[in-house]
Amino acid sequence: QVQLVESGGRLVQAGGSLRLSCAASGRTFNSYAMGWFRQAPGKEREFVAAISWGGGNTSSADSLKGRFTISRDNAKNTVYLQMNSLKPEDTAVYYCAAPITSPTDYVPEGEYDYDYWGQGTQVTVSS
């Protein structure tokens, strides 16, 4: 079992930055990939970014490249999402997630590739 707790979401003005954190517990953190997803009101949950268990491989949604960056600190059992140049359309609940198994360099992008989910943290970007 893996427990995931997101934090860092808040109200921010357009053009601003936020760093979300996701603290993991319950299993050896450096043994599985991690991902971030988001869900805006009335929309389906969408992939944001993923990182391999060692941190050497990352993937992000094409529309977010250049603005959002995923990273992890295995010593702190935490994965981060740095979000810059925020736009009102980035408003959503942001979730972190982990799969049960993670081969080396695995960076899953599909929602159904993940087995454990946090409760989410709200990010609101005002115009």
Side-chain angles (χ1 to χ4, degrees):
Q1 277 284 21
V2 174
Q3 292 78 44
L4 304 171
V5 180
E6 302 95 335
S7 62
R10 62 176 176 86
L11 174 64
V12 63
Q13 287 191 331
S17 297
L18 276 180
R19 188 177 79 159
L20 305 183
S21 300
C22 173
S25 62
R27 208 173 83 201
T28 304
F29 184 67
N30 63 359
S31 65
Y32 49 89
M34 294 291 296
W36 284 98
F37 289 75
R38 68 183 185 183
Q39 187 167 22
K43 295 187 177 181
E44 294 185 351
R45 189 153 54 185
E46 65 175 348
F47 171 73
V48 174
I51 188 167
S52 60
W53 60 260
N57 195 22
T58 62
S59 177
S60 59
D62 289 341
S63 62
L64 301 176
K65 287 180 179 176
R67 294 197 300 124
F68 288 18
T69 303
I70 189 170
S71 62
R72 67 190 294 162
D73 185 339
N74 287 345
K76 296 182 178 179
N77 291 353
T78 301
V79 64
Y80 304 99
L81 183 68
Q82 178 67 42
M83 305 186 295
N84 299 327
S85 302
L86 284 162
K87 306 175 181 180
E89 51 263 43
D90 294 320
T91 294
V93 178
Y94 284 72
Y95 300 90
C96 68
I100 290 178
T101 60
S102 295
T104 304
D105 294 332
Y106 182 50
V107 281
E109 299 181 2
E111 180 178 357
Y112 296 102
D113 294 326
Y114 290 84
D115 305 285
Y116 303 107
W117 294 83
Q119 82 290 347
T121 186
Q122 176 70 49
V123 172
T124 303
V125 184
S126 64
S127 57

